Amino acid sequence: MNSLSSSMRTLIAGIACIAILLVAGTVMPKWLTFLITMSAANGLVSLGIVSLMRTGVVSFGQGMVFALGGYTAALSFGNLGITDAVLLALGGGLVALLVALPFALLIARYRGIFFAMLSLALSMVLYGLLMKSQTMGGSDGFNMGRVSIFGVRPTDSWSGYASYAVTVTLGGLVGMAMRIYFDSTRGLVALASRDNEIRVEYLGSSVQNLIAANYLIAAFTGGMGGALAVMALGHVEPEFSFWTTSGDFVFVAILAGHHSVIAAFIASTVLEIVRSFSSSYFPNSWQLSLGLFLLAVIRFLPRGIGSIWEAKRKKGEQA
Amino acid sequence: MNLIFTILIDGLTYASWLFIVALGLTLVFGVLKILNVAHGSFYALGAYAAATLVGWFASMQLAPELSLIAMLLAAVAVAALIAPLCERGLLRVFYGRDEVLLVLVTFALFLIMEDATKLIWGVNPLYVSEPYMLFGIVEMGPQSYVGYDFMLVAVAAIVGYVVWWGLNRTRIGKIVLAVIHSEEIASSMGVNVSRIYTLAFATGIFLASLGGALTAPMISVQPGVSVGVVIVSFAVVIIGGLGSIPGAAIGALIVGIARSAAVHVWPVAELFSIYVVMAVVLMFRPEGLFQRIQARKI
């Protein structure tokens, strides 16, 4: 009964958030809708890392699924004539999931730095392939045209909002699904395996299967995030799969912490704001600002933004 | 036959400087248990410092041979000034945290150093061509090679031997090995672990900046040189086994020859051949080729 009410609460809160964002988007300046679109798309990739973090592992190669999703959307648009944003986003997620599938059980055998390094190696293999592939545009990548929503192609003035609407809606829906998954028995067992893997195994659950499942979920959300980001940017390039891109996603996941879903989106927005303002006001030292910000977060908020309201919630329960 | 010989020579040259850099990375990991993402930034710092010092030496009309001393001084300066600052001022704050979190701390350091080098040296490329022709041209059959490349191979062999000898044949080296084995027991036996950490980090950074200083004459020193180097160094230490000196040597050779073979036989594979090797080694020997598999601690 409790879990049902918890799921209902998640659904109501999620739908309300999406509705507020959709309405607010109509009056927002264009730069802000773009910033939130990119934050939500990138947040989806980091949300995948958060789901892996709940099992105690961190992927340094989510750039791979981000690029797979992005290239799938751009190629489907250009070569297959699929222009619907929702189909492209789902297609991006699905292709990323299918590519990750053969690696899932293999990578789930690894822990700590080895998990991070194997995922990084896979993403760098894709980066190398994309850089040298002339059919994929080589190091320059290629552009993608304007997408449609349920058969309607938005006008110039509404194209930014259309991309924003699709991204926040899909981001919100995936966020709700992830919250429900995190609160499910399987989700809680994953969290327990973070604390003590052997104890969880002894109680009859397979930690390897849990990590493999979360790796595939992370691949799907990452691919979807990549497709949505490419639709907003109108361009895809091999840098999507480069290790520094993956580093940004890990940064957002660490900033968010492994407790909260919404924190992943907030952390992603914080990163986009810091990045945008640093590159505007300190064009030659925005990475320096970002690095200092990252250090401050790790120093003062090592368990992430999500830990703030997690602590408040626990305090409330005790009271 | 000529092709195989060319692949081997090119691979060996590439492996030599890469070994020096990766040796620093594996030493830092072995002692401090930190996979230093900023290692490539220290490599870049060494290259920039060497370019500056060699330029000064040239402007003072000193003998061209002294540019080699300038390169060594550049590496020493980076290790003596910047490494203790980073270890004592930054890394020390985060010791004991999760290893992935520590990787992220060094990722932040990498971002900071990327811009710091741009602010100090600007974005225009620097060239240090003087030392490159000091060792002349070596004729080997129909092929000609630059003598500097062979000097690099010799330096890498000497550096590898000195580090091995320092670790296994000296008192301080044995103390470092004791800290690697168990920091707590070493500390209880009166070892100043904190000082060993600083020493090991500075030595690792010296090797990174030495690698940068030695390669400066072969490349254009410009923003972005660190990004590629760190990831290739990761591949080397992962292939050889984190914390292993022979592993770093074999890893560098494998990476050097894989890259060289790709460049000469199948250029399309140049960028990803290294990571394919890294992924394959991780799949079959996750601890690397030269590390023993460790029992899982409960």
Side-chain angles (χ1 to χ4, degrees):
Chain A
M1 191 65 193
N2 271 341
S3 104
L4 183 70
S5 62
S6 157
S7 301
M8 280 307 289
R9 273 204 307 271
T10 302
L11 287 173
I12 292 165
I15 290 165
C17 272
I18 293 170
I20 291 167
L21 281 170
L22 288 178
V23 173
T26 56
V27 291
M28 277 179 197
K30 275 186 179 172
W31 66 266
L32 188 57
T33 49
F34 181 74
L35 189 142
I36 295 176
T37 306
M38 289 309 294
S39 305
N42 294 339
L44 276 171
V45 189
S46 297
L47 188 56
I49 301 178
V50 168
S51 77
L52 284 166
M53 276 164 63
R54 288 173 72 89
T55 54
V57 290
V58 176
S59 164
F60 265 77
Q62 286 312 92
M64 180 182 86
V65 288
F66 186 63
L68 282 168
Y71 273 89
T72 302
L75 288 171
S76 306
F77 184 91
N79 297 351
L80 304 177
I82 301 171
T83 60
D84 188 82
V86 177
L87 277 182
L88 290 171
L90 291 174
L94 195 65
V95 168
L97 185 143
L98 289 173
V99 174
L101 196 60
F103 301 111
L105 274 177
L106 175 82
I107 205 165
R109 288 164 40 207
Y110 298 82
R111 301 292 181 271
I113 214 78
F114 297 103
F115 185 96
M117 287 298 114
L118 184 54
S119 59
L120 182 129
L122 294 174
S123 77
M124 288 303 290
V125 170
L126 180 68
Y127 171 75
L129 284 169
L130 294 172
M131 283 289 277
K132 294 286 179 180
S133 165
Q134 288 312 311
T135 49
M136 303 272 193
S139 58
D140 293 332
F142 59 95
N143 291 335
M144 179 183 173
R146 195 178 301 154
V147 293
S148 63
I149 301 169
F150 303 123
V152 179
R153 199 175 286 254
T155 57
D156 280 353
S157 53
W158 284 97
S159 66
Y161 177 77
S163 180
Y164 164 88
V166 171
T167 308
V168 296
T169 306
L170 288 177
L173 292 173
V174 171
M176 283 188 273
M178 286 294 251
R179 183 70 265 170
I180 292 167
Y181 171 64
F182 286 173
D183 291 338
S184 69
T185 306
R186 200 175 168 79
L188 293 171
V189 171
L191 199 56
S193 73
R194 181 189 165 89
D195 291 334
N196 194 322
E197 187 179 316
I198 292 165
R199 199 176 292 165
V200 170
E201 292 269 2
Y202 186 75
L203 289 170
S205 289
S206 165
V207 173
Q208 195 173 326
N209 287 349
L210 274 171
I211 294 176
N214 282 13
Y215 180 72
L216 291 174
I217 289 169
F220 181 78
T221 60
M224 188 184 254
L228 290 166
V230 168
M231 283 185 248
L233 288 168
H235 182 75
V236 64
E237 59 186 25
E239 287 293 313
F240 276 43
S241 191
F242 200 55
W243 71 270
T244 47
T245 309
S246 301
D248 285 348
F249 294 136
V250 175
F251 166 39
V252 169
I254 298 284
L255 176 58
H258 64 271
H259 296 287
S260 164
V261 167
I262 191 94
F265 293 106
I266 292 172
S268 182
T269 310
V270 169
L271 177 71
E272 285 300 321
I273 290 169
V274 172
R275 201 203 313 259
S276 298
F277 281 85
S278 318
S279 55
S280 298
Y281 294 104
F282 318 105
N284 295 321
S285 56
W286 68 271
Q287 289 193 100
L288 195 147
S289 322
L290 207 62
L292 291 173
F293 177 67
L294 175 53
L295 285 178
V297 167
I298 299 171
R299 175 71 182 88
F300 299 108
L301 215 56
R303 296 178 67 216
I305 295 171
S307 65
I308 299 172
W309 54 82
E310 181 68 13
K312 277 188 181 169
R313 192 180 62 83
K314 277 187 181 162
K315 218 177 209 178
E317 278 173 6
Q318 281 167 3
Chain B
M1 195 60 196
N2 268 343
L3 179 66
I4 294 172
F5 190 69
T6 307
I7 288 172
L8 287 176
I9 295 288
D10 282 357
L12 195 64
T13 309
Y14 190 82
S16 57
W17 67 263
L18 189 55
F19 166 66
I20 298 172
V21 179
L23 188 58
L25 186 67
T26 211
L27 185 69
V28 170
F29 184 85
V31 181
L32 283 82
K33 305 289 178 287
I34 294 174
L35 195 57
N36 184 12
V37 177
H39 200 70
S41 306
F42 290 105
Y43 162 91
L45 217 52
Y48 272 110
T52 307
L53 275 184
V54 170
W56 282 356
F57 274 45
S59 67
M60 286 190 285
Q61 315 249 309
L62 296 175
E65 290 76 18
L66 288 178
S67 57
L68 295 173
I69 305 287
M71 287 154 69
L72 185 66
L73 283 177
V76 170
V78 172
L81 300 174
I82 313 294
L85 194 73
C86 291
E87 196 275 329
R88 299 228 160 188
L90 178 70
L91 295 179
R92 190 156 292 199
V93 179
F94 299 98
Y95 285 154
R97 298 275 183 88
D98 184 71
E99 58 184 0
V100 174
L101 211 61
L102 283 167
V103 172
L104 217 59
V105 169
T106 61
F107 179 63
L109 185 60
F110 157 78
L111 291 174
I112 293 168
M113 287 178 72
E114 277 292 288
D115 274 354
T117 47
K118 274 188 234 165
L119 290 172
I120 296 168
W121 282 282
V123 292
N124 293 326
L126 302 179
Y127 298 97
V128 203
S129 51
E130 290 87 354
Y132 197 50
M133 295 317 290
L134 277 178
F135 297 85
I137 301 288
V138 179
E139 302 283 345
M140 290 179 115
Q143 300 277 5
S144 304
Y145 297 93
V146 180
Y148 187 87
D149 293 348
F150 293 100
M151 187 278 290
L152 268 188
V153 178
V155 170
I158 293 167
V159 166
Y161 178 74
V162 168
V163 172
W164 176 86
W165 181 84
L167 276 176
N168 295 285
R169 295 284 184 268
T170 64
R171 186 173 170 275
I172 190 79
K174 290 192 175 181
I175 291 173
V176 171
L177 291 178
V179 171
I180 292 173
H181 189 72
S182 172
E183 166 200 327
E184 283 176 1
I185 294 174
S187 185
S188 68
M189 301 294 279
V191 171
N192 187 341
V193 174
S194 161
R195 194 175 295 166
I196 296 296
Y197 274 12
T198 310
L199 176 74
F201 190 74
T203 309
I205 295 319
F206 168 72
L207 293 169
S209 48
L210 181 66
L214 289 171
T215 44
M218 304 157 70
I219 57 170
S220 63
V221 183
Q222 58 188 357
V225 288
S226 58
V227 177
V229 169
V230 68
I231 208 76
V232 179
S233 305
F234 275 0
V236 168
V237 297
I238 291 290
I239 290 168
L242 281 159
S244 159
I245 296 176
I250 298 296
L253 269 176
I254 291 173
V255 166
I257 290 170
R259 180 192 162 275
S260 173
V263 167
H264 289 284
V265 180
W266 191 29
V268 174
E270 182 201 342
L271 271 172
F272 65 85
S273 57
I274 295 167
Y275 308 107
V276 169
V277 174
M278 177 181 169
V280 169
V281 169
L282 271 172
M283 282 171 195
F284 294 102
R285 278 201 58 101
E287 304 284 333
L289 298 176
F290 278 78
Q291 282 292 58
R292 276 190 219 130
I293 293 167
Q294 289 175 349
R296 189 163 59 168
K297 288 177 186 170
I298 299 173

